Amino acid sequence: MDRPSAVERALREAAPHEIFDVVRSLIERRHGALTVDLLLVDYAMTELQPVGVLPHTRTPVPVHDSAPGRAFGAQEPYCVHDRPASTVTAHLPVSVRGDRLGILSVTLPAADDGGPAADVLADLQDCADALAHEVVVAERDTDLFLQARRAERLTLAAEMQWQLLPGRSCARAEYSLGAQLEPAYAIFGDSFDWSASADDLYVTVSNGMGEGIDAALLTNLCVNALRNARRAGLSLSDQAYLADQAVYGQYRGERYLSTLLFRFHLPTGEAEVVDAGSPRVWRVRQGVVEPIEFEAQMPLGMFEDTDYVAQRFQVLPGDRLLFISDGVYDALSPAGEKYSLRALAASINSTRLLPAPQVPRVMLQELLGHRGSGPAADDSLVMCLDWHGRPAAGPPGA
C-alpha cells in the first residue's frame, strides 16, 4: 500500500495558515533553496500575488510577460538561470484537478550544468502538487490564501459570488473547463457552476437580474436551489422546476434568473439542455464557429409552476463549447455595434488554439478592447468547455 510522502504528512499535521511555511522549510532543508515563494493568481487572473501577512508589501508579478506567468500559462515548470549570481529559479504550477491556483517559485544554487537536475525538479513539482491540495482544504479554516488573491478590495456582492463558485477551471480525461467573471472585483449577478460524477457532468450558467447585493442574493438562492435538487438525484427538468419554485416563492416574479442547464453523459457525449434564459452557447467544430440555438423557456422564478422540458444535444470529441452571458454579446462599442455582431466570432476564432482555462480571460480582455475604457453596463461571463470524449478502454490486462 502506498503511504503518504513526508511532505504530505507534514502538511496534514500543520495548522492551515502554516502549510506554506512547512513546504518552504522542507524545500530549504532538502535542496538548499535560497528562496521559496508562493504566488497565487488574483481574481482578475492578471497578477500573481505573493502569499504573506497583511498588509502586503511585496510587488505582485504580472501573469503576462513574466517567468512565473509563463509557467502558469503553460502549466509546466519553467526555469530561469541567473549566471552572474550562479542561481537557477524554478517556477512550478500549483494546480489541483485542473484548477490553476498559482506558482511555487524556488531559487537554488546553480549546478555545474545549470540545473536543476530532473529528479530535483520532479521533487519540487511533487511539493507544489501537495501544497495545491492543502491550500484548497485550508481555505475552509484560514483567510490567508483568499487574502493573497486580492489585488484590490472586493465589493460585498463580489465576495458572495466568488465564494459561490466551484473554481475557475477543472479537467479530467473527458473534458477541460475554464470560466471567468468580470469585473472581477465588482461582479453581482452572473455565476456558473459545475459538478461531475463517474458518468455525468452538470454545468450551469446563470445571469441574475439587478445589481449589487440584490443580484448576488438572487443568484445565491438559485444556485443553491439547483445544487439541492441535483444532490437529491433529480432530473435536469426537475432541477430547473424546483429552483424556479424557490426563486418565485421568494420574489413572486419580481426578480428572476436567466439560466442554462446542461447534463453531459461522459461515456457518449449525449447531453440534456434546459434553456431558461439569455446565456448563449457557441460551438467550434472542425474549425467552424457557429451559435447553437435551443428552445427558449421561461427564466427561473418568472412565473409560478413553470414546467421545463429538457432538449437533446450531442457533443463530439474535439468540440469546443463557449457559454456566454448577455454582458458579453450585448456589449456595445463606442460606435454602438454589439459585440455579438462580428467581434465575438472573431474572438472565438482567435483563441481556438488556447487551452480551455485560458480562453475566458483572453476573450474578456478582447471585450474590453471592443467596448472601450468606460465602465461596463453589465457584468460578463465566459465559460469554455473542450470535449475530449471518454478514452477507449485498453485490452484486458493492459
Side-chain angles (χ1 to χ4, degrees):
M1 180 178 65
D2 291 336
R3 297 184 180 276
S5 69
V7 175
E8 292 172 327
R9 288 197 302 271
L11 286 172
R12 291 176 186 177
E13 293 170 1
H17 66 282
E18 294 177 338
I19 59 173
F20 171 55
D21 295 329
V22 168
V23 165
R24 178 168 52 201
S25 296
L26 284 168
I27 292 174
E28 288 172 347
R29 291 200 305 271
R30 281 187 180 186
H31 303 294
L34 304 175
T35 63
V36 182
D37 293 308
L38 175 60
L39 310 172
L40 297 183
V41 69
D42 83 312
Y43 286 99
M45 298 196 79
T46 60
E47 296 181 353
L48 291 161
Q49 300 266 122
V51 171
V53 178
L54 291 177
H56 297 304
T57 58
R58 299 176 58 196
T59 303
V61 178
V63 169
H64 303 289
D65 300 322
S66 71
R70 179 167 175 171
F72 182 79
Q75 287 296 285
E76 294 179 353
Y78 179 67
C79 296
V80 178
H81 297 82
D82 186 339
R83 301 194 186 282
S86 297
T87 62
V88 58
T89 300
H91 302 289
L92 308 122
V94 177
S95 304
V96 55
R97 294 188 176 90
D99 194 8
R100 304 178 304 160
L101 307 180
I103 290 294
L104 184 67
S105 294
V106 181
T107 300
L108 305 165
D112 292 339
D113 61 353
D119 59 336
V120 172
L121 197 61
D123 185 65
L124 293 176
Q125 187 60 68
D126 287 344
C127 291
D129 293 341
L131 179 59
H133 283 268
E134 291 302 322
V135 165
V136 172
V137 175
E139 286 183 347
R140 300 180 308 176
D141 301 309
T142 179
D143 288 335
L144 177 66
F145 304 106
L146 294 171
Q147 288 170 331
R149 293 172 56 187
R150 295 161 195 238
E152 57 187 88
R153 185 171 179 177
L154 292 169
T155 64
L156 179 54
E159 184 85 49
M160 295 167 64
Q161 292 295 71
W162 282 113
Q163 290 300 304
L164 187 66
L165 300 178
R168 280 183 288 182
S169 54
C170 68
R172 54 185 273 187
E174 296 91 345
Y175 62 84
S176 178
L177 261 172
Q180 178 64 13
L181 300 168
E182 284 291 340
Y185 292 88
I187 54 171
F188 33 87
D190 285 359
S191 187
F192 57 85
D193 195 23
W194 57 61
S195 179
S197 62
D199 287 333
D200 293 304
L201 168 67
Y202 289 91
V203 173
T204 61
V205 180
S206 301
N207 179 12
M209 68 178 295
E211 298 182 358
I213 292 176
D214 288 340
L217 287 169
L218 173 63
T219 302
N220 269 257
L221 173 62
C222 180
V223 170
N224 279 293
L226 288 169
R227 288 173 174 172
N228 179 259
R230 184 185 73 221
R231 292 164 183 170
L234 301 183
S235 69
L236 200 68
S237 298
D238 287 341
Q239 291 174 34
Y241 175 79
L242 290 182
D244 171 72
Q245 291 304 289
V247 175
Y248 185 85
Q250 183 68 29
Y251 294 101
R252 313 307 296 179
E254 295 181 1
R255 292 186 177 275
Y256 47 84
L257 295 95
S258 300
T259 306
L260 269 171
L261 299 88
F262 281 79
R263 183 186 72 86
F264 296 94
H265 188 233
L266 297 175
T268 64
E270 295 178 358
E272 292 180 317
V273 186
V274 173
D275 182 349
S278 67
R280 307 286 178 87
V281 180
W282 288 62
R283 181 178 65 199
V284 183
R285 175 177 287 175
Q286 297 181 344
V288 177
V289 178
E290 58 184 343
I292 304 299
E293 300 291 340
F294 300 107
E295 179 183 346
Q297 301 179 65
M298 291 296 104
L300 302 183
M302 180 175 280
F303 299 108
E304 189 174 13
D305 291 327
T306 303
D307 288 324
Y308 292 91
V309 178
Q311 304 164 66
R312 299 289 177 177
F313 181 61
Q314 181 72 45
V315 287
L316 303 177
D319 280 358
R320 166 169 287 182
L321 299 181
L322 292 124
F323 309 82
I324 298 169
S325 72
D326 59 356
V328 176
Y329 61 78
D330 282 344
L332 299 177
S333 71
E337 180 179 296
K338 278 190 176 183
Y339 191 65
S340 58
L341 185 61
R342 288 178 295 186
L344 178 55
S347 180
I348 293 172
N349 191 56
S350 71
T351 57
R352 68 189 184 282
L353 299 180
L354 293 177
Q358 292 188 36
V359 170
R361 174 68 262 164
V362 174
M363 288 187 63
L364 289 170
Q365 284 293 113
E366 293 182 356
L367 172 65
L368 290 177
H370 172 83
R371 82 175 161 74
S373 59
D378 195 1
D379 47 356
S380 305
L381 181 158
V382 174
M383 178 190 290
C384 181
L385 168 64
D386 282 349
W387 188 263
H388 310 308
R390 176 156 290 179

